Structure formats: C-alpha cells, structure tokens
Amino acid sequence: MEQKLTDIKKSLFKIFQQDHARLGEQLFRLRSALQIEDITGAQSLANEIDELSGAHIAFEEFEFYPALKKFLTEDEVFRMYVEHSDGLNLIENIKTWDVENPPTSEEFSTALEHLEIMEHHVADCGDLFGAMGGLEPAEYKTLYDKLMEWRRKAPKWRDINRNGVPVVTHEN
C-alpha cells in the first residue's frame, strides 16, 4: 500500500510539472507574439491557453491552494488566486483585440508586463509542490484523484469564476 501511495505522489508531481511546462511554453509563445505585435497569433494563443489550462487552474484553486494553506500564509495563498484572476483578465482582453483597430504599442507593453507576472506565477507555483511535503500519503491520493476528475471535466479557464466555482464544463 505504501509503495502505491508513493507512486501516486510521483504521478501527481509528474502531471503537475507537465501542466506547468506546457503552460510555460504557451506563455513563452504568447510573449513572442506580443513582442512582434502579432494580434492574430496572440489571440490564437490566448484561446489555446483558455482551452487547455482550465482543468489545472480549477485543480489549483479547489484542491492545491487549499492544501497549501497548511504551509503558507493566507496572504501568499490569496495572492495566487489574484494572479489567476489577473491572468484570465489578460487572456480575455487579448481575445477582444481588433485587427482593424489594433492595440497601441503601449497596450502591447502593458500586456507584456501582465504576462510577466503570469510567467512568474507559473514558475513559482510549480515550485510550490515541494511545500506540500508534510502531507499524509492519503492526501496525495485525494489530490491525484481530484486532478484526474478536473481533467475529465475539462473546463475552460474562462468557465471558472473568480471564486473558483466552475460555471460550465465540457460535460454540461
């Protein structure tokens, strides 16, 4: 039984890291599009991020961050929720840009500044998994099961409201 739980912890960590690596790559590509003021490319990437990251965002907000409250301050955890909200606002804003009436260079610069915060969040959050070393083995199983459940539901990021409650999923 102990070995199985160790395997679950490793699997959870591996999936968690893969999700962060994929999101990090998407954000890097978004940064590249914003730097050359490629509206269409940035919008495509914003849609991709929205589509592919919802399950992981929901997992973090519902399962991971509450588990971190044992190890971090309330302010640190709250900041992570705020960074998710700010990241979604950036993604949603990019999706509304109009090719016929393009954003100014200043708006692109502002988007890049907000993107930098998201990039740091992804890097920091990936490192936070180690902060949960004090969890009981059964808690890792619960987290793993919840992550798999969110992946089955596959919500888009935009379908998770500011309180972490999924409004719409692909199952609905």
Side-chain angles (χ1 to χ4, degrees), residues 25-169:
E25 173 62 27
Q26 291 168 324
L27 295 176
F28 174 80
R29 290 172 43 220
L30 179 58
R31 171 173 290 289
S32 297
L34 291 174
Q35 287 173 328
I36 62 170
E37 299 186 2
D38 175 6
I39 296 170
T40 305
Q43 288 177 320
S44 177
L45 287 160
N47 280 313
E48 185 179 316
I49 291 167
D50 180 23
E51 292 279 331
L52 298 176
S53 62
H56 190 82
I57 297 291
F59 168 75
E60 286 186 347
E61 290 188 5
F62 272 99
E63 322 303 339
F64 185 58
Y65 295 167
L68 285 177
K69 287 180 181 179
K70 294 178 182 180
F71 310 103
L72 301 175
T73 68
E74 188 174 317
D75 286 345
E76 289 171 316
V77 174
F78 180 75
R79 178 185 49 81
M80 291 184 284
Y81 283 102
V82 169
E83 289 171 351
H84 275 192
S85 181
D86 291 346
L88 178 59
N89 287 338
L90 172 64
I91 295 302
E92 291 297 306
N93 184 42
I94 290 170
K95 290 169 25 176
T96 66
W97 286 350
D98 181 1
V99 176
E100 300 299 319
N101 186 21
T104 64
S105 290
E106 183 177 310
E107 289 171 304
F108 276 104
S109 292
T110 299
L112 282 163
E113 289 171 13
H114 289 281
L115 179 60
E116 185 174 342
I117 293 167
M118 283 180 63
E119 290 170 324
H120 286 292
H121 173 87
V122 170
D124 291 347
C125 199
D127 292 340
L128 284 174
F129 195 87
M132 294 191 336
L135 290 178
E136 295 297 319
E139 291 176 289
Y140 286 106
K141 168 114 174 65
T142 299
L143 286 173
Y144 178 83
D145 290 345
K146 293 291 187 176
L147 179 55
M148 294 300 102
E149 181 180 326
W150 280 114
R151 284 177 158 216
R152 282 189 295 278
K153 289 179 181 179
K156 294 178 178 118
W157 190 353
R158 71 175 173 263
D159 293 336
I160 302 166
N161 80 16
R162 301 293 193 241
N163 297 319
V165 178
V167 179
V168 178
T169 68

